[in-house]
Amino acid sequence: APSGMPWSHDGLCPTLRASLDRAYLAHVKRGAAAASAAPPIAQLLLGTGNGLRASARDSCWNESDVHRSVVLLSRMEKGEPLAHLTLVCFLESPQWVEAVRRSACRLYERLAPLEVQKQDRLACAWLEVSLELLSEPLLAAAARRLPFKRLLAEVELVRGSVGPSASLSAEMSTRLAEAVALRGRGAREGCAGGGGG
């Protein structure tokens, strides 16, 4: 098996795959100048052929596609109505939520084979999306099945392995820890799924 994380999309709806590819190329693969001139990520995703909500729901999300979607969501304009709607569309997909739950519980294991900079960038994206989901009551309610506490522990493992050059900020982790604490005493997080983990 290759040591990197291939950006494959075997289970994605073709229209969603095209939208994800377009957004990823415009905002991540090209330089900052090209990204700033591109349409907003939310606009590209919401323009998915048969509707983002239906496409996300009908897709079978693999590990690399989940990371790809988290990177894009982390780069959306915070607090913008289009960005909010995009997050809601993803959260309404049980398949996406389940894939995110699995990945969040094994983030360190999944990122470990990657080069240090990529581990750092991906872990940062997970922190940013988690903070966004927990910063708004409506999104926090929709995201209640996601294991944010476990994600924090996984990010600490990544931080320990990538070393002092990491951009993973302690401040972001602290804010997420506070948001998780405010989320409610009764919230339970399970990471075991089908076969455990």
Side-chain angles (χ1 to χ4, degrees):
S3 62
M5 193 185 319
W7 294 130
S8 59
H9 345 256
D10 301 329
L12 290 187
C13 287
T15 53
L16 178 56
R17 180 190 312 152
S19 294
L20 271 174
D21 283 347
R22 201 158 52 245
Y24 198 79
L25 185 65
H27 292 269
V28 180
K29 284 295 186 188
R30 291 184 184 154
S36 66
I41 290 173
Q43 191 176 310
L44 286 169
L45 294 179
L46 287 169
T48 297
N50 54 335
L52 179 59
R53 185 177 270 113
S55 294
R57 187 191 60 229
D58 296 340
S59 289
C60 179
W61 291 87
N62 66 26
E63 193 94 37
S64 56
D65 287 327
V66 166
H67 284 294
R68 191 183 179 92
S69 68
V70 166
V71 168
L72 287 177
L73 294 175
S74 76
R75 296 170 77 101
M76 289 194 307
E77 205 61 48
K78 305 293 182 273
E80 193 189 55
L82 273 182
H84 176 94
L85 182 57
T86 306
L87 277 168
V88 168
C89 287
F90 277 104
L91 285 168
E92 286 183 354
S93 161
Q95 290 88 339
W96 186 80
V97 170
E98 177 57 23
V100 166
R101 192 183 67 78
R102 282 197 312 269
S103 297
C105 288
R106 297 156 62 198
L107 191 67
Y108 174 70
E109 172 193 329
R110 290 305 178 188
L111 299 189
L114 302 178
E115 63 196 50
V116 164
Q117 269 193 321
K118 193 174 270 192
Q119 285 185 54
D120 184 32
R121 285 199 302 269
L122 281 170
C124 272
W126 277 87
L127 278 177
E128 283 182 46
V129 172
S130 299
L131 278 167
E132 186 69 11
L133 291 176
L134 286 169
S135 67
E136 231 183 295
L138 288 174
L139 290 178
R144 69 168 62 91
R145 290 189 294 134
L146 298 178
F148 296 109
K149 259 188 231 172
R150 179 57 192 266
L151 174 66
L152 270 169
E154 294 280 315
V155 166
E156 287 307 314
L157 286 173
V158 177
R159 195 203 305 280
S161 73
V162 298
S165 62
S167 61
L168 276 167
S169 73
E171 187 235 344
M172 247 200 303
S173 291
T174 302
R175 280 170 52 213
L176 183 55
E178 286 167 357
V180 168
L182 288 171
R183 203 168 150 236
R185 301 178 203 91
R188 287 188 36 173
E189 296 191 342
C191 278

